[in-house]
Amino acid sequence: MIGVLLLLLLLPLLLYIAAPQIRKMLSSGVCTSTVQLPGKVAVVTGANTGIGKETAKELAQRGARVYIACRDVQKGELVAREIQTMTGNQQVLVRKLDLADTKSIRAFAKGFLEEEKQLHILINNAGVMMCPYSKTADGFETHIGVNHLGHFLLTHLLLEKLKESAPSRVVNVSSLAHHLGRIHFRDLHGDKFYNAGLAYCHSKLANILFTKELARRLKGSGVSAYSVHPGTVKSELTRHSSFMQWMWRLFSFFIKTPQEGAQTSLYCALTEGLEILSGNHFSDCHVTWVSAQARNETIARRLWDVSCDLLGIPTD
């Protein structure tokens, strides 16, 4: 009994001492690609903060023309100026994109296609987590609407430009949380049952299923697709949950910085010769295991068709 009490008393101290080594292990993935991007065009959603901001910064550093696609344009402009100053690259542009509104998504895509002749990198990074029950402007549950359907539509609208610009890449930011996810086709929008944490997990599973089906359909097109788990990252993603914010502070020693969290997205966007792994899921810059649900091709194809129906996209 005394030994157990001593262990409980010493555990916080041991964790504190071991924290640097644990953090190093948890953030071991680093994008080592030296690829430069002059003349290349990239779109990063949600790049006005967190992982997206760091991803956009690195792409700009390598010479790309980078579009920060975000809902808060004012904040985006501040970030764009910061990146321009840090990198010397003035080709960092901000455009309005609200993934909770298909009209905004279509307006963004229309403007982009009128403005640009090419698109080489699309990073679907933006997301919401553990929101109170709510619906998007189009009546979709917010997690599935923003995290999956919003990016599904955006990718669809930009797909021909990606094909014309091949070789090109799509990177979808998912999460380890997908392991708890399920696609409930009869209650996709949580009208019968809703749990904020599980809704996030369902949407992250949808990201992986979308990536796999997209890669299958794009085979031979020169466009490759990847999904990534960035790790547990200190970001604004927890803003809807005071519990998660408390947990993040409690375990801050073990949480990645946004720069560390951006590494796997950058790895999938930049690493040469990765096309052969299109459709795979990555964590810490390596292919990683996904759940049985995420490997189910039947569910992936059905989700694709259902997503098309909801968004008014012809199925093929």
Side-chain angles (χ1 to χ4, degrees):
M1 186 66 178
I2 295 175
V4 172
L5 290 173
L6 284 172
L7 180 61
L8 290 174
L9 289 171
L10 289 172
L11 188 58
L13 177 61
L14 292 172
L15 286 173
Y16 181 83
I17 294 171
Q21 288 73 32
I22 295 173
R23 279 202 76 257
K24 185 177 180 181
M25 178 184 69
L26 294 175
S27 55
S28 59
V30 176
C31 176
T32 58
S33 171
T34 58
V35 167
Q36 296 300 303
L37 302 171
K40 303 296 184 182
V41 180
V43 170
V44 185
T45 69
N48 59 335
T49 187
I51 297 171
K53 174 183 174 181
E54 294 300 326
T55 302
K57 184 191 302 181
E58 182 62 29
L59 296 175
Q61 183 70 55
R62 294 170 185 253
R65 181 175 172 87
V66 180
Y67 281 79
I68 292 176
C70 60
R71 185 175 57 180
D72 189 338
V73 175
Q74 185 175 5
K75 188 173 183 180
E77 293 287 1
L78 292 173
V79 168
R81 287 196 290 272
E82 178 186 334
I83 293 175
Q84 289 168 352
T85 301
M86 291 182 68
T87 65
N89 183 349
Q90 299 305 303
Q91 298 185 90
V92 183
L93 309 171
V94 181
R95 298 293 181 268
K96 172 81 171 181
L97 174 66
D98 184 354
L99 289 162
D101 186 346
T102 58
K103 289 182 180 178
S104 175
I105 299 168
R106 291 183 183 278
F108 169 84
K110 183 176 184 292
F112 177 84
L113 294 173
E114 290 173 349
E115 195 170 357
E116 289 292 341
K117 295 180 179 179
Q118 294 183 302
L119 175 59
H120 303 93
I121 300 171
L122 170 61
I123 299 185
N124 292 320
N125 163 85
V128 294
M129 179 181 179
M130 297 186 72
C131 304
Y133 186 72
S134 59
K135 291 191 174 181
T136 68
D138 301 274
F140 309 140
E141 186 279 315
T142 299
H143 290 90
I144 201 75
V146 172
N147 296 350
H148 168 60
L149 291 169
H151 283 128
F152 186 101
L153 177 60
L154 178 65
T155 305
H156 167 76
L157 295 172
L158 300 180
L159 198 52
E160 286 305 312
K161 188 63 67 178
L162 284 160
K163 290 178 180 178
E164 292 170 9
S165 310
S168 54
R169 298 185 181 185
V170 178
V171 179
N172 296 319
V173 178
S174 180
S175 171
L176 182 67
H178 84 270
H179 284 280
L180 297 177
R182 295 291 184 275
I183 305 300
H184 298 291
F185 289 105
R186 295 184 179 180
D187 191 27
L188 196 63
H189 303 295
D191 295 311
K192 298 176 182 177
F193 171 79
Y194 181 77
N195 175 278
L198 288 177
Y200 173 74
C201 298
H202 302 334
S203 69
K204 294 292 101 178
L205 171 61
N207 292 153
I208 296 178
L209 291 167
F210 168 46
T211 303
K212 288 186 174 294
E213 181 63 10
L214 180 65
R216 186 186 73 81
R217 290 169 176 260
L218 291 175
K219 192 171 182 180
S221 70
V223 185
S224 51
Y226 314 89
S227 60
V228 305
H229 166 57
T232 304
V233 181
K234 184 178 181 181
S235 70
E236 294 182 8
L237 195 60
T238 60
R239 60 186 175 274
H240 294 292
S241 171
S242 55
F243 172 74
M244 292 302 294
Q245 290 174 357
W246 177 79
M247 290 292 287
W248 257 232
R249 286 194 292 269
L250 182 63
F251 295 102
S252 59
F253 280 110
F254 311 109
I255 294 176
K256 290 183 179 182
T257 64
Q259 182 181 26
E260 291 168 339
Q263 295 304 304
T264 305
S265 293
L266 291 166
Y267 177 86
C268 290
L270 301 172
T271 303
E272 294 178 298
L274 207 65
E275 289 80 5
I276 193 173
L277 296 175
S278 181
N280 277 280
H281 184 61
F282 288 75
S283 177
D284 282 327
C285 302
H286 292 92
V287 173
T288 192
W289 182 77
V290 295
S291 69
Q293 286 274 315
R295 298 192 301 272
N296 191 310
E297 293 182 5
T298 301
I299 294 176
R301 294 181 188 187
R302 185 180 177 190
L303 178 63
W304 183 284
D305 290 342
V306 168
S307 300
C308 287
D309 288 342
L310 289 169
L311 294 165
I313 300 171
T315 55
D316 49 342

